[in-house]
Amino acid sequence: RGLHFQVKYPQAKLLRCLKGKVFDVAVDIRQNSPTYGQWVGEELSEDNKYQLFIPEGFAHGYYVMSEIAEIAYKCSEIYHPEAEQGIRWNDPNIAIEWPGLKPILSDRDANLQYLTVNQ
């Protein structure tokens, strides 16, 4: 799975895993932020009942760690598919430490761009 975000209609999200288990990741993509390009990841599961808040200006993706997973999203803006962009899941500029095996990706996610690193 790629790391997705909306440029024109940024979304804040609150996520919880209702069934199964996922590793959920947020990446700061705010160009002028001191934490630009940095990531945070958390295991969310039906057992631990953790939630992850992802502010506007962050890319988001997750890796399903169980046979099935059901995720509940609360979003601050409706989804606009025409405004969605993404970053590759394995971008070396971000270096996310994903657990488990190589993910199964859609063609679209397999061909996403890398994050531009501030110089």
Side-chain angles (χ1 to χ4, degrees):
R1 170 153 168 97
L3 300 159
H4 300 150
F5 58 95
Q6 293 187 164
V7 176
K8 188 174 179 182
Y9 305 99
Q11 292 178 308
K13 302 174 187 173
L14 179 63
L15 287 94
R16 179 170 170 227
C17 183
L18 304 174
K19 298 246 187 248
K21 178 169 55 171
V22 300
F23 184 69
D24 207 319
V25 173
V27 178
D28 187 352
I29 58 170
R30 300 169 298 170
Q31 289 281 330
N32 296 321
S33 171
T35 58
Y36 176 79
Q38 294 181 20
W39 66 275
V40 63
E42 187 67 51
E43 186 177 296
L44 308 179
S45 73
E46 63 183 301
D47 295 328
N48 69 21
K49 300 184 181 0
Y50 290 174
Q51 297 182 58
L52 185 63
F53 177 73
I54 302 168
E56 291 181 6
F58 283 69
H60 169 252
Y62 58 85
Y63 176 74
V64 177
M65 301 171 65
S66 53
E67 187 67 28
I68 62 162
E70 184 177 323
I71 309 297
Y73 284 77
K74 292 184 179 187
C75 300
S76 64
E77 174 65 64
I78 63 170
Y79 175 62
H80 296 270
E82 74 283 0
E84 184 178 62
Q85 294 185 26
I87 302 165
R88 289 179 63 115
W89 70 277
N90 60 348
D91 186 329
N93 298 313
I94 303 169
I96 297 168
E97 297 174 18
W98 294 98
L101 304 173
K102 184 178 177 184
I104 299 169
L105 301 170
S106 67
D107 288 340
R108 181 186 72 144
D109 283 350
N111 294 304
L112 290 172
Q113 301 296 311
Y114 292 116
L115 183 67
T116 302
V117 178
N118 286 341
Q119 300 295 329

